């Protein structure tokens, strides 16, 4: 073959990274994954291991003390951790979400203030959603008012992943309630947990990702310095949407990892479990299910990594690709984990095996960072625009 054509595969560095993360996840994260879920506790062992290895926020550029990982490398890290423990995979995934607005649109000074601390092991969260403004983000009510050389924030954000553990929060607030288009009146800020007037609520009681705390956060006359604005006032929602292009395919990677974890456990189980005098893997009805699961995972993997590359290269259909990757991979994760429980039979319905946890964890990937209905709206909009 002409040496000028690149082969259709990930390079050696990406493959070596996958091996390294897989080894770390199996050694340091797997022994605690069941307990983290059952006790609904933060995966401190994972945090420590990821911080030590530099896999906690690999997307942060080298200039700010990070690894400068490209989107594909970042997804490999998230996928391999999610294969073992979805809650733990939210450490790199939400660190990315919580800092991407800043990376894309923040001032150099603000980047220098925040990013090195996240690279060094502190956490960042992302606060867009409100109780009455979920899919309809532009209808948010949290307000920020300019007051001398400060901003004063008031309101409540909800569903904030890793709230209480994070030091920094990217927060979207209305700064111009009279803007002709509501989206033009929204500004993004970096808020620190020690800012006066900032506080957190109790943990939500959830179906899955139980090791990752989800809480409301409150702003009561919360005063933040003027230079914590990300970009220009009024650009916040646009930056938020650009951020989501970068992070939705990473939720695809998380979903893919959950699906792969359930699939690996299922393949081992069906070869071992015997009924009617033979391994259940010998029955064609089981084989067809295994084939479908493997096929969908492989298709999802191609979408997730192609979307990451398109976003990295700023290709015109990057938004479509990122939404498609998230939607397809999360729908796949839900189907694959449900079939995994099915193939484990009664055992799959117990907490003695990891597949029921994976099925519960898979569900959120169809909901957060925009539900899959909203993703389909994003895709259709881009397709119809031509
Ligand atoms: C565990 C968890 C963690 C989260 N983490 C974060 C976080 O860190 N930061 C953050 O900002 N947010 C976070 N979220 C919020 C999440 O992004 C929202 O829950 C999600 O966007 C949906 O909003 P909603 O819950 O208000 O649902 P709604 O918007 O009320 O939607 C309800 C249903 O209606 C459908 N629907 C709504 N509008 C349309 C439409 N136009 N067409 C078709 N169907 C529609 C939806 O798809 C959904 O099925 C998290 C949520 C959860 C549960």
């Amino acid at each position: 073959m002409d040496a000028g054509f690149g082969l259709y595969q990930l390079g050696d560095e990406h493959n070596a990274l996958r091996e390294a993360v897989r080894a770390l996840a199996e050694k340091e994260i797997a022994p605690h994954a069941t307990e983290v879920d059952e006790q609904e506790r933060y995966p401190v062992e994972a945090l420590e291991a990821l911080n030590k290895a530099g896999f906690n926020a690999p997307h942060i550029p080298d200039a700010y003390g990070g690894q400068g990982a490209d989107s594909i490398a970042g997804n490999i890290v998230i996928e391999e951790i999610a294969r073992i423990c979805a809650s733990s995979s939210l450490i790199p995934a939400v660190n990315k979400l919580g800092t991407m607005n800043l990376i894309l649109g923040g001032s150099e000074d603000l980047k220098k203030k925040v990013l090195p601390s996240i690279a060094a092991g502190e956490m960042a969260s992302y606060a867009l959603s409100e109780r009455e403004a979920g899919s309809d983000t532009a209808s948010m009510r949290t307000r920020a008012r300019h007051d001398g050389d400060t901003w004063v924030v008031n309101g409540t954000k909800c569903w904030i992943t890793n709230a209480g553990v994070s030091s920094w929060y990217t927060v979207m607030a209305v700064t111009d309630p009279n803007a002709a288009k509501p989206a033009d009146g929204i500004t993004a800020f970096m808020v620190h947990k020690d800012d006066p007037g900032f506080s957190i609520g109790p943990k939500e009681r959830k179906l899955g990702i139980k090791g990752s705390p989800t809480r409301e956060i409150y702003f009561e006359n919360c005063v933040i310095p003027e230079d914590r604005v990300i970009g220009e006032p009024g650009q916040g929602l646009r930056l938020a949407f650009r951020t989501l292009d970068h992070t939705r395919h990473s939720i695809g990677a998380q979903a893919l990892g959950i699906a792969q974890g359930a699939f690996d456990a299922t393949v081992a189980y069906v070869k071992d479990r015997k009924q009617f005098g033979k391994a259940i893997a010998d029955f064609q009805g089981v084989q067809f299910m295994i084939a479908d699961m493997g096929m969908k995972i492989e298709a999802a993997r191609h979408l997730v990594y192609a979307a990451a590359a398109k976003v990295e290269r700023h290709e015109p259909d990057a938004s479509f690709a990122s939404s498609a990757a998230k939607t397809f991979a999360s729908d796949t994760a839900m189907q694959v984990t449900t079939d995994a429980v099915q193939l484990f039979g009664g055992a799959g319905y117990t907490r003695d095996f990891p597949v029921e946890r994976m099925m519960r964890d898979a569900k959120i990937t169809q909901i957060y960072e925009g539900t899959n209905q909203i993703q389909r709206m994003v895709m259709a909009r881009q397709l119809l625009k031509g």
Side-chain angles (χ1 to χ4, degrees):
M1 180 184 286
D2 186 328
F5 288 96
L7 292 175
Y8 183 60
Q9 61 180 13
L10 294 183
D12 291 344
E13 275 186 32
H14 284 135
N15 291 332
L17 173 67
R18 185 182 292 283
E19 270 178 44
V21 186
R22 184 168 288 204
L24 176 142
E26 284 178 350
K27 181 159 177 261
E28 312 278 358
I29 299 177
H32 311 285
T34 304
E35 186 190 295
V36 158
D37 175 65
E38 287 191 356
Q39 295 180 1
E40 305 198 13
R41 70 164 177 83
Y42 194 68
V44 280
E45 299 86 356
L47 181 65
E48 202 182 313
L50 295 174
N51 281 346
K52 220 159 120 191
F55 294 148
N56 54 313
H59 70 288
I60 292 187
D62 334 19
Y64 309 100
Q67 307 284 320
D70 59 61
S71 296
I72 290 183
N75 279 1
I76 289 171
V77 172
I78 292 166
E79 180 192 338
E80 287 300 326
I81 302 169
R83 180 176 161 271
I84 300 294
C85 172
S87 292
S88 300
S89 71
L90 283 164
I91 294 169
V94 175
N95 275 339
K96 182 176 179 186
L97 182 63
T99 53
M100 211 59 214
N101 266 41
L102 175 62
I103 290 172
L104 291 173
S107 70
E108 200 47 39
D109 282 351
L110 193 54
K111 287 182 192 175
K112 281 190 187 138
K113 192 179 184 71
V114 176
L115 296 177
S117 66
I118 306 302
E122 289 187 36
M123 306 275 300
S125 288
Y126 183 76
L128 176 63
S129 304
E130 297 182 4
R131 286 280 167 210
E132 302 306 325
S135 301
D136 182 12
T137 47
S139 66
M140 70 178 64
R141 292 185 191 157
T142 297
R143 294 280 167 95
R145 170 174 54 83
H146 208 178
D147 185 15
D149 55 2
T150 63
W151 287 89
V152 182
V153 188
N154 279 287
T156 300
K157 293 285 176 184
C158 73
W159 307 121
I160 307 310
T161 300
N162 291 347
V165 190
S166 288
S167 306
W168 287 100
Y169 297 79
T170 297
V171 177
M172 248 61 65
V174 176
T175 47
D176 180 3
N178 302 316
K181 287 189 201 157
D184 292 336
I186 292 170
T187 303
F189 299 90
M190 289 307 308
V191 176
H192 190 265
K193 67 177 170 54
D194 296 333
D195 288 333
F198 174 83
S199 59
I200 57 165
K203 281 202 302 189
E204 301 287 349
R205 295 171 308 146
K206 307 193 300 282
L207 173 72
I209 52 162
K210 292 181 180 225
S212 167
T214 312
R215 303 171 188 265
E216 287 190 331
I217 57 176
Y218 310 118
F219 305 90
E220 286 170 280
N221 289 321
C222 174
V223 180
I224 59 171
E226 191 165 39
D227 60 6
R228 298 270 201 80
V229 175
I230 304 176
E232 296 297 318
Q235 284 185 352
L237 208 60
R238 264 183 217 96
L239 265 178
F241 291 151
R242 277 179 64 205
T243 287
L244 292 172
D245 282 351
H246 285 264
T247 54
R248 280 175 173 157
H249 62 75
S250 295
I251 295 303
Q254 181 188 43
L256 179 58
I258 298 170
Q260 186 69 55
F263 183 70
D264 292 347
T266 305
V267 167
Y269 187 82
V270 296
K271 289 201 271 193
D272 183 58
R273 171 75 176 163
K274 292 193 175 51
Q275 287 294 280
F276 302 99
K278 47 178 153 173
I280 58 171
D282 290 338
F283 298 117
Q284 196 180 51
V286 171
Q287 289 172 359
F288 281 8
M289 287 176 74
I290 293 286
D292 278 345
M293 292 160 84
M295 174 178 70
K296 285 176 187 157
I297 290 172
E298 185 64 10
R301 181 164 290 112
H302 286 288
L303 269 181
V304 163
Y305 287 97
K310 279 174 187 280
V311 171
E312 189 87 27
R313 289 195 296 256
H314 308 289
E315 289 193 14
D317 64 346
S319 284
F320 165 79
S322 199
S323 286
K326 189 259 187 200
T327 304
F328 190 85
S330 58
D331 287 350
T332 295
M334 202 63 243
Q335 286 167 13
V336 165
T337 54
T338 305
D339 283 352
V341 169
Q342 186 69 21
L343 285 174
F344 270 73
Y349 203 66
T350 71
R351 287 193 280 171
D352 298 337
F353 292 91
V355 287
E356 65 83 32
R357 164 170 59 87
M358 291 166 170
M359 182 177 161
R360 288 185 285 104
D361 287 347
K363 186 61 206 172
I364 191 61
T365 63
Q366 295 179 303
I367 295 173
Y368 58 17
E369 292 209 22
T371 65
N372 282 4
Q373 287 98 319
I374 296 301
Q375 304 305 323
R376 286 177 167 93
M377 286 166 55
V378 171
M379 286 187 268
R381 205 175 294 141
Q382 188 153 25
L383 291 170
L384 294 169
K385 209 165 64 181

